[in-house]
Amino acid sequence: IQTITETIKYSPLRGDLLGLMIWNKEIECMSREQMCQHQSERFCKLVEHVYTNVTFYRNKMNEAGVKPADIKTIEDIVK
């Protein structure tokens, strides 16, 4: 079990609550491959969300002939 001091790092440079950093070992210590996979998963969820909820982006994607299902990884954004 982590203690609060292991989880939260305080930045004395700011001196306020915004100076607190949360340490997430699982995310911070991922391999490059794991991080790319994680970023791709989050990116795909974001694309689905904006396509469903934001008319501007849905229209842009439709104009480009792109659907959320067409995007599988971050590398797909250059297509």
Side-chain angles (χ1 to χ4, degrees):
I1 298 175
Q2 285 185 321
T3 66
I4 196 83
T5 55
E6 292 172 329
T7 305
I8 300 175
K9 306 290 184 189
Y10 179 73
S11 172
L13 298 176
R14 291 201 47 110
D16 59 11
L17 291 177
L18 293 177
L20 293 176
M21 292 176 36
I22 304 299
W23 171 254
N24 183 330
K25 186 175 183 179
E26 182 180 327
I27 299 290
E28 300 290 336
C29 297
M30 285 182 173
S31 69
R32 167 82 64 196
E33 183 178 315
Q34 290 171 320
M35 181 59 74
C36 288
Q37 177 65 32
H38 178 72
Q39 288 173 339
S40 289
E41 289 170 5
R42 295 204 47 189
F43 180 68
C44 289
K45 288 178 184 179
L46 176 63
V47 169
E48 179 68 41
H49 176 79
V50 298
Y51 186 85
T52 303
N53 296 295
V54 183
T55 305
F56 174 81
Y57 289 113
R58 182 174 44 254
N59 291 341
K60 288 291 188 184
M61 290 175 70
N62 287 337
E63 288 171 13
V66 177
K67 300 289 182 201
D70 298 333
I71 300 174
K72 306 290 186 210
T73 68
I74 289 177
E75 288 80 26
D76 292 336
I77 62 175
V78 297
K79 293 181 181 179

Coordinates of all heavy atoms in Angstrom, one line a residue:
I1 N 0.9 -1.2 0.0 CA 0.0 0.0 0.0 C 0.9 1.2 0.0 O 1.8 1.3 0.8 CB -0.9 0.0 1.2 CG1 -1.9 -1.2 1.2 CG2 -1.7 1.3 1.3 CD1 -2.7 -1.3 2.4
Q2 N 0.6 2.1 -0.9 CA 1.4 3.4 -1.0 C 0.9 4.4 0.1 O -0.2 4.4 0.4 CB 1.2 4.1 -2.3 CG 1.9 3.4 -3.5 CD 1.7 4.3 -4.7 OE1 0.7 4.8 -5.0 NE2 2.8 4.4 -5.5
T3 N 1.9 5.1 0.7 CA 1.6 6.1 1.6 C 1.3 7.4 0.8 O 1.6 7.5 -0.4 CB 2.7 6.4 2.5 OG1 3.8 6.9 1.8 CG2 3.1 5.2 3.3
I4 N 0.7 8.3 1.4 CA 0.3 9.6 0.7 C 1.6 10.3 0.2 O 1.5 10.9 -0.8 CB -0.5 10.5 1.7 CG1 -1.2 11.6 0.8 CG2 0.4 11.2 2.7 CD1 -2.5 11.2 0.2
T5 N 2.7 10.2 0.9 CA 3.9 10.8 0.4 C 4.5 10.1 -0.8 O 5.2 10.7 -1.6 CB 5.0 10.9 1.5 OG1 5.2 9.5 2.0 CG2 4.6 11.8 2.6
E6 N 4.2 8.8 -1.0 CA 4.6 8.1 -2.2 C 3.7 8.5 -3.4 O 4.1 8.4 -4.5 CB 4.6 6.6 -2.0 CG 5.7 6.2 -1.0 CD 5.5 4.7 -0.7 OE1 4.4 4.2 -0.7 OE2 6.5 4.1 -0.4
T7 N 2.5 8.8 -3.1 CA 1.5 9.1 -4.2 C 1.5 10.5 -4.6 O 1.4 10.8 -5.8 CB 0.1 8.7 -3.7 OG1 0.1 7.4 -3.2 CG2 -1.0 8.9 -4.7
I8 N 1.7 11.4 -3.7 CA 1.6 12.9 -4.0 C 3.0 13.5 -3.8 O 3.5 13.4 -2.7 CB 0.5 13.6 -3.2 CG1 -0.8 12.9 -3.4 CG2 0.5 15.1 -3.5 CD1 -1.9 13.5 -2.6
K9 N 3.4 14.2 -4.8 CA 4.7 14.9 -4.7 C 4.4 16.4 -4.7 O 3.6 16.9 -5.5 CB 5.6 14.6 -5.9 CG 5.8 13.2 -6.2 CD 6.7 12.6 -5.2 CE 7.0 11.1 -5.5 NZ 7.7 10.4 -4.5
Y10 N 5.0 17.1 -3.7 CA 4.7 18.5 -3.6 C 5.8 19.4 -4.2 O 7.0 19.1 -4.1 CB 4.6 18.9 -2.1 CG 4.4 20.4 -1.9 CD1 3.1 20.9 -2.1 CD2 5.4 21.2 -1.4 CE1 2.9 22.3 -1.9 CE2 5.1 22.6 -1.2 CZ 3.9 23.1 -1.5 OH 3.7 24.4 -1.3
S11 N 5.4 20.4 -5.0 CA 6.3 21.2 -5.6 C 6.4 22.6 -4.9 O 5.5 23.4 -4.9 CB 5.9 21.5 -7.1 OG 6.7 22.5 -7.6
P12 N 7.5 22.8 -4.2 CA 7.7 24.0 -3.4 C 7.8 25.2 -4.2 O 7.6 26.4 -3.7 CB 8.9 23.8 -2.5 CG 9.7 22.8 -3.3 CD 8.7 21.9 -4.0
L13 N 8.0 25.1 -5.5 CA 8.1 26.3 -6.4 C 6.8 27.0 -6.5 O 6.8 28.2 -6.7 CB 8.7 25.9 -7.7 CG 10.1 25.2 -7.8 CD1 10.4 24.8 -9.2 CD2 11.1 26.2 -7.2
R14 N 5.7 26.3 -6.5 CA 4.4 26.9 -6.6 C 3.8 27.3 -5.3 O 3.2 28.3 -5.2 CB 3.4 26.0 -7.4 CG 3.9 25.8 -8.8 CD 2.7 25.4 -9.7 NE 1.5 26.1 -9.5 CZ 1.0 26.9 -10.3 NH1 1.6 27.2 -11.5 NH2 -0.1 27.5 -10.1
G15 N 4.0 26.4 -4.3 CA 3.5 26.8 -2.9 C 2.0 26.7 -2.8 O 1.4 27.2 -1.9
D16 N 1.3 26.1 -3.7 CA -0.2 26.0 -3.6 C -0.6 24.6 -4.1 O 0.2 23.7 -4.5 CB -0.9 27.1 -4.4 CG -0.5 27.0 -5.9 OD1 0.1 26.1 -6.3 OD2 -0.9 28.0 -6.5
L17 N -1.9 24.3 -4.1 CA -2.4 23.0 -4.5 C -2.1 22.7 -5.9 O -2.0 21.5 -6.2 CB -3.9 22.9 -4.2 CG -4.3 22.9 -2.7 CD1 -5.8 22.9 -2.6 CD2 -3.7 21.7 -2.0
L18 N -2.0 23.7 -6.8 CA -1.7 23.4 -8.2 C -0.2 22.8 -8.3 O 0.1 22.3 -9.4 CB -1.8 24.6 -9.0 CG -3.3 25.1 -9.2 CD1 -3.3 26.4 -10.0 CD2 -4.2 24.0 -9.8
G19 N 0.6 23.0 -7.3 CA 1.9 22.5 -7.3 C 2.0 21.0 -7.0 O 3.1 20.4 -7.0
L20 N 0.9 20.3 -6.7 CA 0.9 18.9 -6.3 C 0.9 18.1 -7.6 O 0.2 18.4 -8.6 CB -0.4 18.6 -5.5 CG -0.4 19.2 -4.1 CD1 -1.8 18.8 -3.5 CD2 0.7 18.7 -3.3
M21 N 1.6 17.0 -7.6 CA 1.7 16.1 -8.7 C 1.3 14.7 -8.2 O 1.7 14.3 -7.2 CB 3.1 16.0 -9.4 CG 3.5 17.3 -10.0 SD 5.2 17.3 -10.7 CE 5.4 15.6 -11.2
I22 N 0.4 14.1 -9.0 CA 0.0 12.7 -8.6 C 0.9 11.8 -9.4 O 1.1 11.9 -10.6 CB -1.5 12.5 -9.0 CG1 -2.4 13.5 -8.3 CG2 -1.9 11.0 -8.6 CD1 -2.4 13.5 -6.8
W23 N 1.5 10.8 -8.7 CA 2.4 9.9 -9.3 C 1.6 8.6 -9.6 O 1.1 8.0 -8.7 CB 3.6 9.5 -8.4 CG 4.4 8.4 -8.8 CD1 4.4 7.2 -8.2 CD2 5.4 8.4 -9.8 NE1 5.4 6.4 -8.9 CE2 6.0 7.1 -9.9 CE3 5.8 9.3 -10.8 CZ2 6.9 6.7 -10.8 CZ3 6.8 9.0 -11.7 CH2 7.4 7.7 -11.7
N24 N 1.5 8.2 -10.8 CA 0.8 7.0 -11.2 C 1.8 6.1 -11.8 O 2.2 6.2 -13.0 CB -0.3 7.3 -12.2 CG -1.1 6.1 -12.6 OD1 -0.6 5.0 -12.6 ND2 -2.4 6.3 -12.9
K25 N 2.3 5.2 -11.0 CA 3.4 4.3 -11.4 C 3.1 3.5 -12.6 O 3.9 3.3 -13.5 CB 3.8 3.4 -10.2 CG 5.0 2.5 -10.5 CD 5.4 1.7 -9.3 CE 6.7 1.0 -9.6 NZ 7.1 0.2 -8.4
E26 N 1.8 3.0 -12.7 CA 1.4 2.2 -13.9 C 1.6 3.0 -15.2 O 2.2 2.5 -16.2 CB 0.0 1.8 -13.7 CG -0.5 0.9 -14.9 CD -1.9 0.5 -14.7 OE1 -2.4 0.3 -13.6 OE2 -2.6 0.3 -15.7
I27 N 1.2 4.3 -15.2 CA 1.3 5.1 -16.4 C 2.8 5.6 -16.6 O 3.3 5.5 -17.7 CB 0.4 6.3 -16.3 CG1 -1.1 5.8 -16.2 CG2 0.6 7.3 -17.5 CD1 -1.6 5.2 -17.5
E28 N 3.4 6.1 -15.5 CA 4.7 6.7 -15.6 C 5.8 5.7 -16.0 O 6.8 6.1 -16.5 CB 5.0 7.4 -14.3 CG 4.1 8.5 -13.9 CD 4.2 9.7 -14.7 OE1 5.2 10.0 -15.3 OE2 3.2 10.5 -14.7
C29 N 5.6 4.4 -15.7 CA 6.7 3.5 -15.9 C 6.4 2.5 -17.0 O 7.0 1.5 -17.2 CB 6.9 2.7 -14.6 SG 7.4 3.7 -13.2
M30 N 5.5 2.9 -17.9 CA 5.2 2.0 -19.1 C 6.3 2.0 -20.0 O 7.1 3.0 -20.1 CB 3.9 2.6 -19.8 CG 2.6 2.4 -19.2 SD 1.4 3.0 -20.3 CE -0.1 2.5 -19.4
S31 N 6.4 0.9 -20.7 CA 7.4 0.8 -21.8 C 6.9 1.7 -23.0 O 5.7 2.1 -23.0 CB 7.5 -0.6 -22.3 OG 6.3 -1.0 -23.0
R32 N 7.7 2.0 -23.9 CA 7.4 2.8 -25.1 C 6.2 2.1 -25.8 O 5.2 2.8 -26.2 CB 8.6 3.0 -26.0 CG 8.3 3.5 -27.4 CD 8.1 5.0 -27.5 NE 9.4 5.7 -27.2 CZ 9.4 7.0 -26.9 NH1 8.3 7.7 -27.0 NH2 10.5 7.6 -26.6
E33 N 6.3 0.8 -26.0 CA 5.2 0.1 -26.7 C 3.9 0.2 -26.0 O 2.8 0.4 -26.6 CB 5.6 -1.4 -26.9 CG 4.6 -2.2 -27.7 CD 5.1 -3.6 -27.8 OE1 6.3 -3.9 -28.2 OE2 4.2 -4.5 -27.6
Q34 N 3.9 0.0 -24.6 CA 2.7 0.1 -23.8 C 2.1 1.5 -23.9 O 0.9 1.7 -24.0 CB 3.0 -0.3 -22.4 CG 3.3 -1.7 -22.2 CD 3.8 -2.0 -20.8 OE1 4.6 -1.2 -20.2 NE2 3.3 -3.1 -20.2
M35 N 3.0 2.5 -23.9 CA 2.5 3.9 -23.9 C 1.9 4.2 -25.2 O 0.8 4.8 -25.3 CB 3.7 4.9 -23.7 CG 3.3 6.3 -23.7 SD 2.0 6.8 -22.4 CE 3.0 6.7 -21.0
C36 N 2.4 3.7 -26.3 CA 1.8 3.9 -27.6 C 0.5 3.3 -27.7 O -0.5 3.8 -28.3 CB 2.8 3.4 -28.7 SG 4.2 4.4 -29.0
Q37 N 0.4 2.1 -27.2 CA -0.9 1.4 -27.1 C -1.9 2.1 -26.3 O -3.1 2.3 -26.7 CB -0.7 -0.1 -26.6 CG -2.0 -0.8 -26.5 CD -2.7 -1.1 -27.8 OE1 -2.0 -1.3 -28.8 NE2 -4.0 -1.2 -27.8
H38 N -1.5 2.6 -25.2 CA -2.4 3.4 -24.3 C -2.9 4.6 -25.0 O -4.0 5.0 -24.9 CB -1.6 3.7 -23.0 CG -2.4 4.5 -22.0 ND1 -3.5 4.0 -21.3 CD2 -2.2 5.8 -21.6 CE1 -3.9 5.0 -20.5 NE2 -3.2 6.1 -20.7
Q39 N -1.9 5.4 -25.6 CA -2.3 6.6 -26.3 C -3.2 6.3 -27.4 O -4.2 7.1 -27.6 CB -1.0 7.3 -26.8 CG -0.2 7.9 -25.7 CD 1.1 8.4 -26.2 OE1 1.6 8.0 -27.2 NE2 1.7 9.3 -25.4
S40 N -3.0 5.3 -28.2 CA -3.9 4.9 -29.3 C -5.3 4.6 -28.8 O -6.3 5.1 -29.4 CB -3.4 3.7 -30.1 OG -2.2 4.1 -30.8
E41 N -5.4 3.9 -27.7 CA -6.7 3.5 -27.1 C -7.5 4.8 -26.7 O -8.6 5.0 -27.0 CB -6.6 2.6 -25.9 CG -6.2 1.2 -26.3 CD -5.8 0.3 -25.1 OE1 -5.9 0.8 -24.0 OE2 -5.3 -0.8 -25.4
R42 N -6.8 5.7 -26.0 CA -7.4 6.9 -25.5 C -7.7 7.8 -26.7 O -8.8 8.5 -26.7 CB -6.5 7.7 -24.6 CG -6.3 6.8 -23.3 CD -5.9 7.5 -22.1 NE -6.7 8.7 -21.9 CZ -6.5 9.6 -20.9 NH1 -5.5 9.4 -20.1 NH2 -7.2 10.6 -20.7
F43 N -6.9 7.9 -27.7 CA -7.2 8.7 -28.9 C -8.4 8.2 -29.6 O -9.3 9.0 -30.0 CB -6.0 8.7 -29.9 CG -6.2 9.5 -31.1 CD1 -6.2 10.9 -31.0 CD2 -6.3 8.8 -32.3 CE1 -6.5 11.6 -32.2 CE2 -6.5 9.6 -33.5 CZ -6.6 11.0 -33.4
C44 N -8.5 6.9 -29.8 CA -9.7 6.3 -30.5 C -11.0 6.7 -29.7 O -12.0 7.0 -30.3 CB -9.6 4.8 -30.6 SG -8.3 4.4 -31.9
K45 N -10.9 6.6 -28.4 CA -12.1 7.0 -27.5 C -12.4 8.5 -27.7 O -13.6 8.9 -27.8 CB -11.8 6.7 -26.1 CG -11.8 5.2 -25.8 CD -11.5 5.0 -24.3 CE -11.5 3.5 -24.0 NZ -11.1 3.2 -22.6
L46 N -11.4 9.3 -27.8 CA -11.6 10.7 -28.0 C -12.2 11.0 -29.4 O -13.2 11.8 -29.5 CB -10.3 11.5 -27.9 CG -10.3 13.0 -28.2 CD1 -11.2 13.7 -27.2 CD2 -8.9 13.6 -28.2
V47 N -11.8 10.3 -30.4 CA -12.3 10.5 -31.8 C -13.8 10.1 -31.8 O -14.6 10.9 -32.3 CB -11.5 9.7 -32.8 CG1 -12.2 9.7 -34.1 CG2 -10.1 10.3 -33.0
E48 N -14.1 9.0 -31.2 CA -15.5 8.6 -31.1 C -16.4 9.6 -30.4 O -17.5 9.9 -30.8 CB -15.6 7.2 -30.4 CG -17.0 6.7 -30.2 CD -17.6 6.3 -31.6 OE1 -16.9 5.7 -32.4 OE2 -18.8 6.5 -31.7
H49 N -15.8 10.1 -29.3 CA -16.6 11.1 -28.5 C -16.8 12.4 -29.2 O -18.0 12.9 -29.3 CB -15.8 11.4 -27.2 CG -16.4 12.5 -26.4 ND1 -17.5 12.3 -25.6 CD2 -16.1 13.8 -26.3 CE1 -17.9 13.4 -25.0 NE2 -17.1 14.4 -25.4
V50 N -15.8 12.9 -29.9 CA -16.0 14.2 -30.6 C -16.9 14.0 -31.8 O -17.7 14.8 -32.2 CB -14.7 14.9 -31.0 CG1 -13.9 15.3 -29.7 CG2 -13.9 14.1 -31.9
Y51 N -16.8 12.8 -32.5 CA -17.6 12.5 -33.6 C -19.1 12.5 -33.2 O -20.0 13.0 -33.9 CB -17.2 11.2 -34.3 CG -18.0 11.0 -35.6 CD1 -17.6 11.5 -36.8 CD2 -19.1 10.2 -35.6 CE1 -18.2 11.3 -38.0 CE2 -19.8 9.9 -36.8 CZ -19.4 10.5 -37.9 OH -20.1 10.3 -39.1
T52 N -19.4 11.9 -32.1 CA -20.7 11.7 -31.5 C -21.3 13.0 -31.0 O -22.5 13.3 -31.1 CB -20.8 10.6 -30.5 OG1 -20.3 9.4 -31.0 CG2 -22.1 10.4 -29.9
N53 N -20.4 13.8 -30.3 CA -20.9 15.0 -29.5 C -20.6 16.4 -30.1 O -21.2 17.3 -29.6 CB -20.4 14.8 -28.1 CG -20.9 13.6 -27.4 OD1 -22.0 13.5 -27.2 ND2 -20.0 12.7 -27.2
V54 N -19.7 16.5 -31.0 CA -19.3 17.8 -31.5 C -19.6 17.9 -33.0 O -18.9 17.3 -33.8 CB -17.8 18.1 -31.2 CG1 -17.5 19.5 -31.6 CG2 -17.5 17.9 -29.7
T55 N -20.6 18.7 -33.4 CA -21.0 18.9 -34.7 C -19.9 19.3 -35.6 O -19.7 18.8 -36.8 CB -22.2 19.9 -34.8 OG1 -23.2 19.4 -34.0 CG2 -22.7 19.9 -36.3
F56 N -19.1 20.2 -35.2 CA -18.0 20.8 -36.0 C -17.1 19.6 -36.4 O -16.7 19.5 -37.6 CB -17.2 21.8 -35.2 CG -16.0 22.3 -35.9 CD1 -16.0 23.3 -36.9 CD2 -14.7 21.8 -35.6 CE1 -14.9 23.7 -37.6 CE2 -13.6 22.2 -36.2 CZ -13.7 23.2 -37.2
Y57 N -16.6 18.8 -35.5 CA -15.7 17.7 -35.8 C -16.4 16.6 -36.6 O -15.8 16.0 -37.5 CB -15.0 17.1 -34.6 CG -14.0 18.1 -34.0 CD1 -14.3 18.7 -32.8 CD2 -12.9 18.5 -34.7 CE1 -13.3 19.6 -32.2 CE2 -12.0 19.4 -34.1 CZ -12.2 19.9 -32.9 OH -11.3 20.8 -32.4
R58 N -17.6 16.3 -36.3 CA -18.4 15.3 -37.1 C -18.4 15.8 -38.6 O -18.2 15.0 -39.5 CB -19.8 15.1 -36.6 CG -20.6 14.1 -37.3 CD -21.9 13.7 -36.6 NE -22.6 14.9 -36.2 CZ -22.8 15.3 -34.9 NH1 -22.2 14.6 -34.0 NH2 -23.5 16.3 -34.6
N59 N -18.7 17.1 -38.8 CA -18.8 17.6 -40.2 C -17.4 17.5 -40.9 O -17.3 17.2 -42.0 CB -19.3 19.0 -40.2 CG -20.8 19.1 -39.8 OD1 -21.5 18.1 -39.9 ND2 -21.2 20.3 -39.4
K60 N -16.4 17.9 -40.1 CA -15.0 17.8 -40.7 C -14.6 16.4 -41.1 O -14.1 16.2 -42.2 CB -14.0 18.4 -39.7 CG -14.0 19.9 -39.6 CD -13.6 20.6 -40.8 CE -13.4 22.0 -40.7 NZ -13.0 22.7 -41.9
M61 N -15.0 15.5 -40.2 CA -14.6 14.1 -40.5 C -15.5 13.6 -41.7 O -14.9 12.9 -42.5 CB -14.8 13.2 -39.2 CG -13.8 13.5 -38.2 SD -14.1 12.6 -36.6 CE -13.7 10.9 -37.2
N62 N -16.7 13.9 -41.7 CA -17.6 13.5 -42.8 C -17.1 14.1 -44.2 O -17.1 13.4 -45.2 CB -19.0 13.9 -42.6 CG -19.7 13.0 -41.5 OD1 -19.3 11.9 -41.3 ND2 -20.7 13.6 -40.9
E63 N -16.7 15.4 -44.1 CA -16.1 16.0 -45.4 C -14.9 15.2 -45.8 O -14.6 15.1 -47.0 CB -15.8 17.4 -45.1 CG -17.0 18.4 -44.9 CD -16.6 19.8 -44.4 OE1 -15.4 20.1 -44.5 OE2 -17.5 20.5 -44.0
A64 N -14.1 14.7 -44.9 CA -12.9 14.0 -45.3 C -13.1 12.5 -45.6 O -12.2 11.8 -45.9 CB -11.8 14.1 -44.1
G65 N -14.4 12.1 -45.3 CA -14.7 10.7 -45.6 C -14.2 9.8 -44.5 O -13.9 8.6 -44.8
V66 N -14.1 10.3 -43.3 CA -13.5 9.5 -42.2 C -14.6 9.2 -41.2 O -15.3 10.1 -40.8 CB -12.3 10.2 -41.6 CG1 -11.8 9.5 -40.4 CG2 -11.2 10.5 -42.6
K67 N -14.6 8.0 -40.7 CA -15.5 7.6 -39.6 C -14.6 7.1 -38.5 O -13.5 6.7 -38.6 CB -16.4 6.4 -40.0 CG -17.3 6.7 -41.2 CD -18.4 7.7 -40.8 CE -19.3 8.0 -42.0 NZ -20.0 9.2 -41.9
P68 N -15.1 7.2 -37.2 CA -14.3 6.8 -36.1 C -13.8 5.4 -36.2 O -12.7 5.1 -35.8 CB -15.3 6.9 -34.9 CG -16.2 8.0 -35.3 CD -16.4 7.8 -36.8
A69 N -14.6 4.5 -36.8 CA -14.1 3.1 -37.0 C -12.9 3.0 -37.9 O -12.2 2.0 -37.9 CB -15.2 2.3 -37.5
D70 N -12.6 4.0 -38.7 CA -11.5 4.0 -39.6 C -10.2 4.2 -38.9 O -9.1 4.0 -39.4 CB -11.6 5.1 -40.7 CG -12.8 4.9 -41.6 OD1 -13.3 3.7 -41.7 OD2 -13.3 5.9 -42.1
I71 N -10.3 4.8 -37.7 CA -9.1 5.1 -36.9 C -8.8 4.1 -35.8 O -9.6 3.9 -34.9 CB -9.3 6.5 -36.2 CG1 -9.5 7.6 -37.4 CG2 -8.1 6.9 -35.4 CD1 -9.8 8.9 -36.9
K72 N -7.7 3.4 -36.0 CA -7.3 2.3 -35.1 C -6.2 2.7 -34.2 O -6.1 2.2 -33.1 CB -6.9 1.1 -35.9 CG -8.0 0.6 -36.9 CD -9.2 0.0 -36.2 CE -10.1 -0.5 -37.3 NZ -11.5 -0.5 -36.9
T73 N -5.2 3.5 -34.6 CA -4.1 3.9 -33.9 C -3.8 5.4 -34.1 O -4.4 6.0 -35.0 CB -2.8 3.2 -34.2 OG1 -2.4 3.5 -35.5 CG2 -3.0 1.7 -34.1
I74 N -2.9 6.0 -33.3 CA -2.5 7.4 -33.5 C -1.9 7.6 -34.9 O -2.1 8.7 -35.5 CB -1.5 7.8 -32.4 CG1 -2.3 7.9 -31.1 CG2 -0.9 9.1 -32.7 CD1 -1.4 8.3 -29.9
E75 N -1.2 6.6 -35.4 CA -0.6 6.7 -36.8 C -1.7 7.0 -37.8 O -1.3 7.5 -38.9 CB 0.2 5.5 -37.1 CG 1.5 5.3 -36.3 CD 1.3 4.8 -34.9 OE1 0.3 4.0 -34.7 OE2 2.1 5.1 -34.1
D76 N -2.9 6.7 -37.6 CA -4.0 6.9 -38.6 C -4.3 8.3 -38.8 O -4.9 8.7 -39.8 CB -5.2 6.1 -38.2 CG -5.1 4.6 -38.3 OD1 -4.2 4.2 -39.0 OD2 -5.8 3.9 -37.6
I77 N -3.9 9.2 -38.0 CA -4.2 10.6 -38.1 C -3.5 11.3 -39.3 O -3.9 12.3 -39.8 CB -4.0 11.5 -36.8 CG1 -2.5 11.5 -36.4 CG2 -4.9 11.0 -35.7 CD1 -2.3 12.4 -35.2
V78 N -2.4 10.6 -39.8 CA -1.7 11.2 -41.0 C -2.3 10.8 -42.3 O -2.0 11.3 -43.3 CB -0.2 10.8 -40.9 CG1 0.5 11.4 -39.7 CG2 0.0 9.3 -41.0
K79 N -3.3 9.9 -42.2 CA -3.9 9.4 -43.5 C -4.9 10.4 -44.0 O -5.5 11.2 -43.3 CB -4.6 8.1 -43.2 CG -3.7 7.0 -42.9 CD -4.4 5.7 -42.6 CE -3.5 4.6 -42.3 NZ -4.1 3.3 -42.0

